[in-house]
Amino acid sequence: GQNIDQPTEMTATEGAIVQINCTYQTSGFNGLFWYQQHAGEAPTFLSYNVLDCFEEKGRFSSFLSLSKVYSYLLLKELQMKDSASYLCAVRDSNYQLIWGAGTKLIIKP
Amino acid sequence: ETGVTQTPRHLVMGMTNKKSLKCEQHLGHNAMYWYKQSAKKPLELMFVYNFKEQTENNSVPSRFSPECPNSSHLFLHLHTLQPEDSALYLCASSQVPGGGADTQYFGPGTRLTVL
């Protein structure tokens, strides 16, 4: 079966750095997405990667290793507003999105 | 801020009621999606519409009935639901399904409670 694994919950301190990991087992691979979802709100797009890379967008960076079937989202200089769930999703060979259950990130002062 | 809106935001209904969820996208996209999001579970894709035609129905019970009158509007008609159907129902849209970096944009969801 197809599966996306990410930690259920993580806690970090304001101003620190946190890395949220995602490993996947899918039928084929056509890209990996990260979304942010604040409680009670819509998931919002953060990044898309299809090749091995480390991509920085401001305080957020995404990494992908196709050989290790692994990705991570790196958040720097954490702010309280970064408290949210972070969803990892992989597009399989049929171009279907396979979703992880999300990682709830709690930021403490 | 999102170009996808959903109404109502919250809905409480009995098992014998009939209600409808509405989604509207203002992004000029051609594909629309319904997802179910339950606590601590992955998003479950329910239906996909591409250019108003249903292209995906992921074994969803018939008590959920989608309708897509045009590329901008999507409805989910509900009848004789069960308590286990209580969840957040998310609508999303994308330029076209599949291919390249076709990103899905989500609405804020309807929190549904079935009593």
Side-chain angles (χ1 to χ4, degrees):
Chain A
Q2 307 200 88
N3 193 51
I4 308 290
D5 281 317
Q6 50 181 135
T8 303
E9 187 173 297
M10 299 182 71
T11 302
T13 304
E14 193 175 14
I17 299 174
V18 70
Q19 177 176 311
I20 302 173
N21 296 328
C22 172
T23 58
Y24 57 91
Q25 291 177 298
T26 55
S27 303
F29 179 85
N30 281 297
L32 185 144
F33 294 80
W34 282 99
Y35 280 80
Q36 179 191 60
Q37 185 179 22
H38 286 100
E41 297 183 15
T44 54
F45 170 76
L46 289 177
S47 69
Y48 168 79
N49 301 118
V50 66
L51 299 173
D52 287 351
C53 67
F54 179 77
E55 183 180 271
E56 291 186 77
K57 285 185 185 178
R59 295 187 299 112
F60 290 18
S61 302
S62 57
F63 169 84
L64 175 64
S65 167
L66 296 177
S67 61
K68 295 184 172 137
V69 284
Y70 163 69
S71 171
Y72 66 73
L73 186 67
L74 190 72
L75 288 71
K76 300 188 296 186
E77 300 166 19
L78 286 170
Q79 301 175 10
M80 298 303 292
K81 67 178 182 179
D82 298 329
S83 292
S85 288
Y86 292 86
L87 310 179
C88 175
V90 170
R91 202 201 305 277
D92 69 10
S93 57
N94 294 319
Y95 288 93
Q96 296 290 335
L97 275 180
I98 312 301
W99 293 86
T103 298
K104 182 177 180 181
L105 178 63
I106 300 168
I107 309 298
K108 295 188 174 178
Chain B
E1 185 178 346
T2 175
V4 183
T5 58
Q6 290 186 244
T7 55
R9 294 293 310 274
H10 300 273
L11 178 62
V12 179
M13 59 187 289
M15 288 191 284
T16 58
N17 292 156
K18 288 185 181 181
K19 296 287 184 184
S20 295
L21 310 184
K22 179 182 176 182
C23 175
E24 184 172 358
Q25 60 96 359
H26 312 274
L27 301 169
H29 289 165
N30 296 306
M32 296 187 78
Y33 310 77
W34 277 118
Y35 285 92
K36 176 183 179 182
Q37 187 176 36
S38 302
K40 299 185 180 179
K41 289 186 178 179
L43 287 175
E44 298 174 46
L45 179 64
M46 300 174 72
F47 302 104
V48 180
Y49 277 83
N50 186 20
F51 290 95
K52 302 189 298 176
E53 298 298 320
Q54 189 180 119
T55 57
E56 194 78 34
N57 176 340
N58 273 0
S59 303
V60 180
S62 59
R63 57 186 184 268
F64 294 92
S65 174
E67 179 190 358
C68 188
N70 54 61
S71 293
S72 298
H73 293 85
L74 185 64
F75 295 89
L76 188 62
H77 304 300
L78 316 170
H79 65 97
T80 58
L81 293 191
Q82 304 298 311
E84 59 264 29
D85 296 322
S86 299
L88 182 68
Y89 288 84
L90 290 165
C91 174
S93 71
S94 67
Q95 186 60 41
V96 289
D102 182 42
T103 301
Q104 293 183 18
Y105 294 86
F106 286 84
T110 295
R111 173 66 62 186
L112 174 67
T113 303
V114 182
L115 300 176

